[in-house]
């Protein structure tokens, strides 16, 4: 396999990348993109794919298409060996999950669905405080692509899960796409209840039975349900979306939901380097957040937070003031509202002026912040596939609900998605990520160079070597390392905050101090590692406790080492003029925009 | 030539418009192929299943689920009326008897021996689908609905709120850059669809509602006024089911934006005609834009333009409209299509095109920030 073409059919654009083996190494060589054509007038996803291919053809000089057929295998400068694709077009995979107890099986079901790359529209549980008719109404009106029903440990309660099946049956729900199709329902609950479930749902739905996701209270088994979800996604949902039947015949591997593919890559990074990773993929319609802490993998999706289709919802959820606080110039509120709506109704447009770029990046900060908040609140002691836990841990999860996303233990923060990957300056991406995620202590930050994590995720299922080589050489761009104060650490601007000594790779020492409320960048190239000794003032903490020094290795990147004393949360001036001045100062410190 | 595809909104002076009129559930189609219908005519009917009510019967009666059927006075499929006794216990002392009353008038759907619940369903609700446009039935989808066809002036808006409505078209302004003010809305506009110019404000929409105007077509409005109209901040652009007493379609965007001259002239030329509009917008994959359909009488005959979208890439000389600042709303012609990506003010390197405006001024614009328009 020497030449690979991969696409990601996003809700807004279809992105194609070409991977070629040169001198024995796989490299990503060209890319092309075109608007996704799931919508009228074309209503055929393959049009956008062909357009993206055409752009790759034009730029690379490689002939990929013979009319509308992909030429395989590759010979010289003609054809490709394999085509793979991911997709989130058509609104992605929209699911509803149901479980007996909200914090136990229903939560497990939610994790199973999210991990498979779905958007969870609602979680129905026996104890969710809604009245039966409200649940039934909700199931009837939501029109998901499929339902995952779980409940009861094996040999445990039958009543609750049968009750949920009765609600589903009474609602007689229909799928989002295809009027005459029966809605797929996956049953992954108490195996003792299977026969009853069949009696109730077999006639009215397309019922699929898989292993219990919670066979015992201490054990979660999400893998079989996730596999079934992805299988049904291809068979039912994709097959109904315009043009996908044709697209499925073109690909050399099953089409994966975009978030599922990105999740695969995130887990690979964490596993290979034995580190804790948080990743984000901010798209046009949705924002996905992934976290890998040790063995625990979590993914959440903020279904209506994105930079084009959902941009207006960022305003609705975050509030106008929260967006305005990041805009580094005076701006009329009404003007901002209109600009956001105009982006919403013409989602494929891009900022042409610097002012417009700054506005979009202000909105992105809020979309990222709110998505991350949502992730932290759902990633509470969540357990990945087949992980054992004892009963006390299970109770602790229910009672405490503490997030497992500890920013101080985070090693690497990876950003992906148009607004981060395509930011004209890498320093803009770095600043957006820091402002939104508020890393604490010492954190390395990277971005996906040109948004190819989904492509590499799906590619890894057929050619792991190619996926890994391209990932290391062309995909991940290290921006540098952020050194910052920890949570709940604020002070007064100008107050003595930290002093540090950085020993550069050539042995040169930089000895400086930085007062509270500032940002400073020290250039350090990609692949270079320096050592930092930070001594915080007695009221400040950079990870070891108030006033206690921290010694660490810091990696370079296209931006460098960013020393951030702006506080956690960042202290922004209350009056508009001072705030604008602050934002400009910080942007200047990191060289975010042209003068 | 780059195979760039740039979607644009459709504006057709005279074209064949087809409209799928589909029931939300399978039902009966009450017209046949070839029927010539008015917009108000019913084409299909069905019944929406009634609301389901669940009663935890065993808790109320103090019995075991497996025994529930023995205590039921009514069985699955039976009709019941509100407050009718549907189950009762059989104690030795009659005074100790507990009864279960039906909370609704409807039918008993399920009696569960596992959970001890009784599900009752309200009677089905009838719903009808109308023809929506004056035209001819050209296809029947068995039990689902019909396809209507009409020869009409067809204009897509960029965004709308409110559902389908039909009324006579009335022009309220003189020029496409005029602002639609309250004094231009007259009692005579009752039950009509009115056309404004560049802009409308919330108080003017209120006045239109008071007068009984059915729909408004205008260039732009402020998001703040949209929020006032809806009563909430619109997060995701999926509209059409709002119950706001009027249908509003904007043709250009948010803010004060002159209605495209061609759109305005076309609407003006059809003033007084029966018009069907739908504000439903869905800006997601499977995009739905609001539409204005103004059917022609069967008698009048001129050549129809094709209904096919422009399926080719951009070429030099093509007329385009810019859809983002700093040239938002301006119309020009493509002067050149540089092959290599160009650096723009944001420092991003993107594919651009050079546009020439009517006054001779030229500018470089990202290709994604333009839409092709028909001549």
């Amino acid at each position: 396999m020497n030449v690979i073409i991969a696409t990601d059919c996003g809700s807004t654009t279809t992105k194609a990348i070409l991977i070629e083996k040169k001198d024995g190494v796989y490299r990503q060589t060209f890319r092309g993109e075109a608007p996704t054509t799931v919508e009228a007038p074309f209503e055929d996803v393959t049009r956008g794919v062909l357009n993206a291919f055409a752009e790759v053809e034009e730029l690379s000089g490689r002939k990929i298409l013979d009319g509308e057929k992909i030429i395989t295998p590759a010979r010289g400068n003609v054809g490709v060996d394999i085509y793979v694709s991911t997709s989130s077009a058509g609104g992605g995979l929209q699911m509803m999950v149901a479980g007996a107890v909200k914090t136990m099986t229903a939560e497990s079901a939610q994790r199973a669905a999210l991990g498979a790359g779905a958007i969870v529209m609602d979680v129905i549980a026996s104890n969710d405080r809604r009245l039966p008719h409200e649940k039934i109404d909700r199931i009837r009106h939501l029109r998901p692509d499929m339902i995952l029903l779980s409940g009861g440990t094996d040999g445990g309660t039958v009543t609750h899960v049968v009750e949920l099946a009765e609600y589903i049956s009474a609602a007689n729900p229909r799928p989002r796409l295809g009027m005459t199709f029966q809605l797929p329902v996956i049953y992954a609950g108490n195996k003792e209840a299977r026969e009853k479930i069949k009696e109730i749902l077999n006639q009215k739905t397309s019922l699929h039975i898989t292993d219990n996701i919670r066979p015992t209270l201490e054990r979660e088994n999400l893998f079989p349900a996730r596999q079934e979800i992805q299988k049904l996604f291809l068979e039912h949902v994709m097959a109904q979306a315009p043009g996908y039947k044709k697209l499925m015949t073109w690909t050399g591997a099953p089409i994966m939901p975009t978030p599922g593919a990105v999740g695969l890559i995130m887990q690979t990074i964490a596993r290979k380097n034995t580190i804790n990773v948080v990743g984000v993929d901010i798209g046009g319609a949705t924002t996905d957040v992934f976290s890998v802490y040790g063995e625990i993998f979590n993914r959440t999706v903020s279904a209506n937070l994105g930079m084009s289709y959902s941009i207006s919802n960022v305003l609705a959820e975050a509030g106008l003031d929260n967006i305005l606080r990041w805009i580094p110039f005076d701006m009329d509120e009404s003007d901002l509202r209109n600009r956001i709506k105009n982006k919403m109704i013409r989602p494929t447009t891009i900022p042409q002026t610097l002012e417009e770029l700054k506005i979009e990046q202000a909105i992105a900060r809020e979309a990222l912040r709110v998505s991350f908040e949502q992730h932290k609140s759902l990633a509470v002691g969540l357990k990945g596939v087949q992980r054992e836990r004892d009963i006390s841990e299970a109770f602790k999860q229910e009672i405490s609900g503490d997030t497992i996303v500890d920013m101080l233990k985070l090693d690497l923060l990876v950003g992906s998605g148009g607004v981060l990957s395509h930011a004209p300056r890498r320093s803009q991406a770095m600043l957006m990520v820091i402002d939104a995620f508020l890393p604490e202590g010492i954190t390395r930050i990277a971005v996906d160079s040109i948004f190819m994590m989904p492509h590499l995720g799906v590619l890894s299922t057929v050619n792991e070597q190619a996926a890994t080589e391209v990932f290391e050489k062309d995909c991940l761009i290290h921006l540098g390392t952020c050194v910052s104060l920890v949570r709940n650490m604020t002070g007064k601007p100008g107050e003595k905050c930290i002093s540090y000594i950085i020993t550069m790779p050539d042995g040169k020492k930089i000895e400086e101090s930085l007062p509270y409320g500032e940002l400073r960048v020290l250039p350090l190239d990609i692949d270079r590692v320096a050592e930092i000794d930070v001594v915080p003032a007695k009221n400040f903490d950079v990870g070891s406790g108030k006033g206690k020094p921290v010694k660490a290795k810091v990696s370079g990147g296209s931006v460098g080492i960013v020393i951030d004393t702006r506080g956690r949360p960042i202290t922004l001036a209350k009056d508009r003029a001072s705030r604008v001045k602050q934002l400009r100062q910080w942007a200047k410190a990191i060289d975010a925009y042209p003068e | 030539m780059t195979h760039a595809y740039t979607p644009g909104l459709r504006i057709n002076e005279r074209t064949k418009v087809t409209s799928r009129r589909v029931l939300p559930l399978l039902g009966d189609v009450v017209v046949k192929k070839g029927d010539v219908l008015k917009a108000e005519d019913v084409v299909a009917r069905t019944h929406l299943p009634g609301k389901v009510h669940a009663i935890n019967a065993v808790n109320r009666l103090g019995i075991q689920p497996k025994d529930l059927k023995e205590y039921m006075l009514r069985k699955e499929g039976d009709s019941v009326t509100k407050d009718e006794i549907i189950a009762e216990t059989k104690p030795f002392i009659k005074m100790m008897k507990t009864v279960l009353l039906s909370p609704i008038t409807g039918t008993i759907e399920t009696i569960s021996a596992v959970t001890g619940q009784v599900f009752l369903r309200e009677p089905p609700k009838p719903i009808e689908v109308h023809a929506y446009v004056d035209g001819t039935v050209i296809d029947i989808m068995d039990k689902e609905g019909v396809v209507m066809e009409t020869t009409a002036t067809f204009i897509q808006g960029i965004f709308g709120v409110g559902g389908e409505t039909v009324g006579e078209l009335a022009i309220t302004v003189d020029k496409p850059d005029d602002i639609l003010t309250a004094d231009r809305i007259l009692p005579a506009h009752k039950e009509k669809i009115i056309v404004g110019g560049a802009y409308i404000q919330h108080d003017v929409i209120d006045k239109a509602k008071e007068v009984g105007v059915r729909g408004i077509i205008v260039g732009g409005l402020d998001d703040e006024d949209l929020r006032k109209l809806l009563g909430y901040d619109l997060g995701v652009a999926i509209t059409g089911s709002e119950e706001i007493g009027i249908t509003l379609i904007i043709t250009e965007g948010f803010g004060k934006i002159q209605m495209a001259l061609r759109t305005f002239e076309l609407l003006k030329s059809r003033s007084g005609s029966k018009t069907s509009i739908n504000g439903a917008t869905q800006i997601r994959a499977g995009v739905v834009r609001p539409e204005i359909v103004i059917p022609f009488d069967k008698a009048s005959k001129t050549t129809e333009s094709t209904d096919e979208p422009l399926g080719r890439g951009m070429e030099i000389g093509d007329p385009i409209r810019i859809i983002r600042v700093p040239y938002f709303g301006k119309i020009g012609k493509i002067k050149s299509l540089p092959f290599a990506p160009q650096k723009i003010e944001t420092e991003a390197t993107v594919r651009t095109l050079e546009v020439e405006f009517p006054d001779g001024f030229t500018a470089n614009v990202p290709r994604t920030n333009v839409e092709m328009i028909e001549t």
Side-chain angles (χ1 to χ4, degrees):
Chain A
M1 198 183 287
N2 292 320
V3 186
I4 300 156
I5 188 130
T7 56
D8 170 56
C9 307
S11 55
T12 319
T13 42
T14 297
K15 287 132 304 208
I17 60 164
L18 187 70
I19 293 168
E20 294 172 280
K21 198 173 190 177
K22 287 191 170 162
D23 305 324
V25 183
Y26 287 101
R27 296 299 297 260
Q28 185 271 324
T29 48
F30 294 94
R31 72 183 182 102
E33 60 180 57
T36 296
T37 49
V38 176
E39 58 190 48
F42 292 99
E43 289 184 357
D44 180 355
V45 72
T46 61
R47 299 284 347 148
V49 171
L50 291 172
N51 288 346
F53 282 176
E55 196 157 295
V56 174
E57 277 187 325
E58 195 178 299
L59 295 168
S60 67
R62 173 175 291 276
K63 188 168 164 56
I64 298 166
L65 296 167
D66 177 13
E68 294 197 350
K69 274 185 80 176
I70 302 170
I71 305 167
T72 52
R75 271 195 216 101
N77 213 18
V78 176
V80 295
D81 292 310
I82 193 171
Y83 165 51
V84 290
S85 188
T86 58
S87 174
S88 59
L93 167 62
Q94 303 183 6
M95 287 184 70
M96 182 167 194
V97 303
V101 183
K102 203 168 180 195
T103 51
M104 306 294 267
T105 43
E107 204 173 275
S108 294
Q110 196 177 0
R111 276 172 255 170
L114 286 165
I119 290 166
V120 175
M121 303 165 89
D122 201 356
V123 182
I124 305 274
S126 300
N127 64 338
D128 67 11
R129 297 191 178 177
R130 280 179 283 194
L131 294 170
H133 76 266
E134 290 172 330
K135 288 179 196 171
I136 294 165
D137 261 9
R138 183 82 180 140
I139 299 168
R140 194 161 92 192
H141 287 118
L142 269 187
R143 303 193 64 178
D145 291 319
M146 65 179 89
I147 294 179
L148 173 63
L149 169 63
S150 66
T153 52
D154 283 341
T157 173
V158 169
T159 323
H160 290 307
V161 68
V162 169
E163 185 182 273
L164 289 166
E166 284 171 352
Y167 294 152
I168 293 171
S169 168
N172 198 11
R174 291 177 317 115
R176 182 168 61 111
L177 305 164
M179 201 172 187
T180 51
F181 288 84
Q182 283 191 323
L183 180 78
V185 175
I186 299 166
Y187 176 66
N190 183 359
K191 63 182 180 190
E192 310 292 325
R194 283 181 185 172
E195 287 310 310
K196 293 267 177 232
I197 301 289
K198 275 188 202 163
E199 273 172 40
I200 299 164
L201 294 176
N202 229 355
Q203 297 295 317
K204 288 190 173 172
T205 66
S206 166
L207 183 67
H208 301 259
I209 292 178
T210 174
D211 292 349
N212 193 349
I213 53 173
R214 201 73 179 258
T216 63
L217 200 57
E218 306 80 34
R219 189 170 156 243
E220 223 172 33
N221 179 27
L222 306 180
F223 192 65
R226 278 184 182 164
Q227 269 195 320
E228 193 66 25
I229 292 168
Q230 296 207 347
K231 187 178 133 231
L232 292 174
F233 172 67
L234 284 174
E235 286 174 6
H236 287 253
V237 186
M238 291 291 244
Q240 300 299 320
Y244 275 93
K245 265 188 191 149
K246 203 195 311 177
L247 189 68
M248 282 154 81
T249 65
W250 292 1
T251 56
I255 299 169
M256 281 182 88
T258 306
V262 177
L264 266 184
I265 275 293
M266 294 284 178
Q267 288 177 84
T268 312
I269 310 171
R271 196 179 51 238
K272 280 193 74 170
N273 303 295
T274 337
I275 52 172
N276 296 331
V277 180
V278 165
V280 64
D281 174 16
I282 177 164
T286 63
T287 296
D288 287 285
V289 183
F290 306 82
S291 63
V292 192
Y293 273 77
E295 291 291 304
I296 307 169
F297 165 64
N298 275 302
R299 172 206 167 233
T300 53
V301 54
S302 300
N304 286 321
L305 291 173
M307 290 306 294
S308 63
Y309 293 106
S310 309
I311 195 164
S312 186
N313 203 52
V314 179
L315 170 70
E317 287 212 15
L320 194 68
D321 289 343
N322 277 330
I323 293 174
L324 274 170
R325 70 186 170 140
W326 297 115
I327 294 182
F329 48 85
D330 235 344
M331 184 166 198
D332 176 49
E333 288 180 10
S334 172
D335 185 21
L336 176 62
R337 295 185 75 98
N338 286 343
R339 287 195 202 212
I340 291 174
K341 281 288 188 300
N342 280 325
K343 169 86 179 186
M344 174 189 80
I345 57 176
R346 290 185 167 105
T348 56
T349 59
I350 60 167
Q352 184 176 355
T353 64
L354 204 52
E355 194 174 76
E356 284 260 295
L357 179 76
K358 289 174 183 172
I359 296 170
E360 282 213 10
Q361 293 186 344
I363 300 164
R365 282 173 169 85
E366 284 304 300
L368 291 167
R369 179 185 67 82
V370 178
S371 304
F372 192 45
E373 289 300 320
Q374 291 177 355
H375 180 83
K376 284 191 282 189
S377 67
L378 271 165
V380 280
L382 305 185
K383 305 297 184 285
V385 176
Q386 303 275 16
R387 187 185 180 269
E388 298 278 343
R389 63 176 168 208
D390 65 29
I391 200 157
S392 60
E393 218 183 332
F395 274 118
K396 195 178 158 206
Q397 173 198 349
E398 192 189 340
I399 297 159
S400 73
D402 282 347
T403 183
I404 56 159
V405 182
D406 181 347
M407 294 309 281
L408 200 52
K409 289 185 184 154
L410 178 64
D411 300 297
L412 176 65
L413 191 46
V414 185
S416 180
V419 72
L420 295 173
S421 297
H422 296 325
R425 290 189 185 187
R426 297 288 184 203
S427 54
Q428 293 163 3
M430 180 100 169
L431 195 54
M432 276 188 271
V433 167
I434 295 174
D435 289 350
F437 286 80
L438 301 174
E440 299 170 25
I442 317 279
T443 317
R444 206 170 176 195
I445 296 171
V447 288
D448 177 359
S449 62
I450 54 163
F451 191 64
M452 61 168 114
M453 279 204 260
H455 309 73
L456 299 182
V458 66
L459 179 60
S460 72
T461 64
V462 285
N463 189 337
E464 189 161 348
Q465 187 202 345
T468 316
E469 285 180 8
V470 175
F471 182 77
E472 284 169 358
K473 293 196 160 37
D474 301 309
C475 175
L476 210 60
I477 303 276
H478 285 285
L479 302 179
T481 303
C482 178
V483 179
S484 57
L485 300 173
V486 303
R487 201 170 2 157
N488 302 325
M489 220 17 83
T490 53
K492 287 191 186 112
E495 186 181 352
K496 189 170 177 251
C497 187
I498 59 169
S499 54
Y500 52 86
I501 302 167
I502 297 176
T503 312
M504 294 306 237
D506 60 3
K508 196 179 128 198
K509 283 187 192 293
I510 300 168
E511 201 171 339
E512 290 175 340
S513 62
L514 194 66
Y516 184 84
E518 293 195 19
L519 202 62
R520 184 173 292 160
V521 179
L522 297 131
L524 179 65
D525 284 346
I526 291 179
D527 298 332
R528 306 303 295 272
V529 179
E531 207 169 74
I532 190 165
D533 288 275
V534 192
V535 183
K538 64 176 181 179
N539 288 329
F540 293 101
D541 180 0
V542 283
S544 292
K546 279 188 181 174
K548 293 197 174 141
V550 169
K551 192 183 184 73
K553 289 210 179 328
V554 282
S555 303
S558 51
V559 177
I561 305 164
V562 177
I563 316 280
D564 180 1
T565 59
R566 298 174 301 162
R568 293 292 181 264
I570 295 170
T571 311
L572 284 159
K574 288 206 168 57
D575 70 292
R576 192 180 279 199
S578 314
R579 196 182 62 235
V580 165
K581 199 174 146 205
Q582 256 181 336
L583 292 172
R584 284 185 177 165
Q585 242 170 24
W586 296 334
K588 194 176 173 194
I590 202 167
D591 193 26
Y593 303 107
E595 287 294 314
Chain B
M1 184 65 58
T2 306
H3 203 82
Y5 151 78
T6 306
L9 297 174
R10 284 177 57 198
I11 301 171
N12 285 88
E13 185 180 350
R14 189 182 180 94
T15 184
K16 273 212 167 73
V17 177
T18 55
S19 171
R20 284 166 58 88
R21 313 297 302 155
V22 182
L23 289 164
L25 287 176
L26 297 183
D28 300 317
V29 175
V30 298
V31 292
K32 46 185 200 310
K33 198 169 166 177
D35 283 358
V36 177
L37 305 177
K38 291 274 164 214
E40 302 77 13
D41 293 340
V42 174
V43 297
R45 286 194 180 93
T46 192
H47 288 90
L48 279 183
K51 204 166 149 183
V52 175
H53 294 253
I55 329 172
N56 195 329
V58 289
N59 273 8
R60 301 257 189 105
L61 299 173
I63 55 170
Q64 292 295 313
K66 64 178 170 41
D67 305 325
L68 176 60
K69 284 195 177 164
E70 289 173 33
Y71 295 90
M72 291 295 298
L73 302 177
R74 293 279 179 271
K75 54 183 192 307
E76 286 173 3
D78 283 357
S79 298
V80 292
T81 50
K82 191 173 183 325
D83 295 332
E84 179 184 332
I85 300 173
I86 56 170
E88 63 181 21
T89 54
K90 299 161 191 160
F92 287 114
I93 308 159
K94 278 200 171 169
M95 271 175 62
M96 308 281 281
K97 187 164 84 174
T98 317
V99 297
L100 186 67
L101 304 179
S102 170
I104 56 154
T105 295
T107 48
I108 295 190
E109 189 156 283
T110 316
I111 301 165
S112 174
V114 178
T115 61
Q117 297 204 95
V118 175
F119 291 87
L120 299 106
R121 195 181 284 275
E122 286 180 6
K125 262 199 261 171
I127 51 158
E128 292 177 334
V129 171
H130 296 88
Y132 169 58
V133 289
D134 287 3
T136 311
V137 179
I138 58 156
D139 198 11
I140 303 277
M141 291 163 286
D142 191 32
K143 296 189 185 323
E144 284 188 48
V146 303
V147 180
M148 292 293 297
E149 187 184 85
T150 187
T151 301
T153 299
F154 182 79
I155 299 168
Q156 281 184 321
I158 190 79
F159 176 81
V161 284
E164 293 174 349
T165 189
V166 180
E168 189 187 303
L169 195 69
I171 313 292
T172 59
V173 293
D174 304 322
K175 299 190 305 297
D177 57 349
D178 282 350
I179 290 168
L180 179 49
T181 45
D183 58 309
R184 292 179 187 257
I185 295 174
L186 312 170
H189 291 139
K190 189 180 176 188
E191 296 181 352
K192 290 191 178 170
I193 290 165
I194 60 169
V195 178
Y199 184 62
I200 191 168
Q201 285 191 301
H202 180 250
D203 55 333
V204 185
I205 301 174
D206 273 350
K207 166 88 185 286
K209 277 159 71 174
E210 269 169 44
V211 167
V213 169
R214 288 190 176 153
I216 302 171
I217 303 163
V218 70
L221 98 154
D222 281 333
D223 179 40
E224 268 172 323
D225 288 325
L226 176 70
R227 187 178 54 166
K228 284 179 196 156
L229 178 65
L230 297 176
Y232 55 88
D233 240 329
L234 183 75
V236 179
I238 296 174
T239 67
S241 56
E242 302 74 23
E243 286 176 4
I244 47 171
I246 199 160
T247 295
L248 173 74
I249 295 178
I250 59 171
T251 59
E252 313 303 315
F254 287 87
K256 205 176 288 174
I257 317 164
Q258 172 186 325
M259 184 182 283
L261 186 65
R262 184 170 138 78
T263 308
F264 185 75
E265 291 299 334
L266 207 48
L267 290 169
K268 208 168 150 188
S269 72
R270 301 301 315 273
S271 177
S273 306
K274 185 175 174 183
T275 302
S276 303
I277 64 168
N278 186 359
T281 310
Q282 191 179 317
I283 304 167
R284 283 268 149 155
V287 74
V288 176
R289 294 286 186 187
E291 60 178 22
I292 302 155
V293 184
I294 317 168
F296 284 98
D297 288 340
K298 274 264 162 195
S300 70
K301 271 207 166 162
T302 51
T303 17
E304 280 164 16
S305 66
T306 54
D307 196 20
E308 290 301 307
L310 210 52
R312 62 170 174 83
M314 288 185 279
E315 284 173 17
I316 290 169
D318 280 346
I320 50 163
R321 176 155 55 163
I322 299 167
I323 53 176
R324 184 137 182 178
V325 288
Y327 306 108
F328 190 27
K330 282 196 163 189
I331 286 171
K333 279 190 173 169
I334 300 178
K335 194 178 175 198
S336 68
L337 286 160
F339 172 76
Q342 310 279 309
K343 204 171 213 181
I344 56 172
E345 187 191 314
T346 60
E347 297 183 332
T349 305
V350 296
R351 305 208 81 175
T352 61
L353 55 79
E354 193 187 3
V355 59
E356 183 175 358
F357 297 110
D359 59 3
F361 177 73
T362 61
N364 267 317
V365 212
R367 290 190 190 184
T368 52
N369 290 1
V370 304
E371 62 185 16
M372 291 175 79
I373 51 172
E374 290 154 49
T375 42

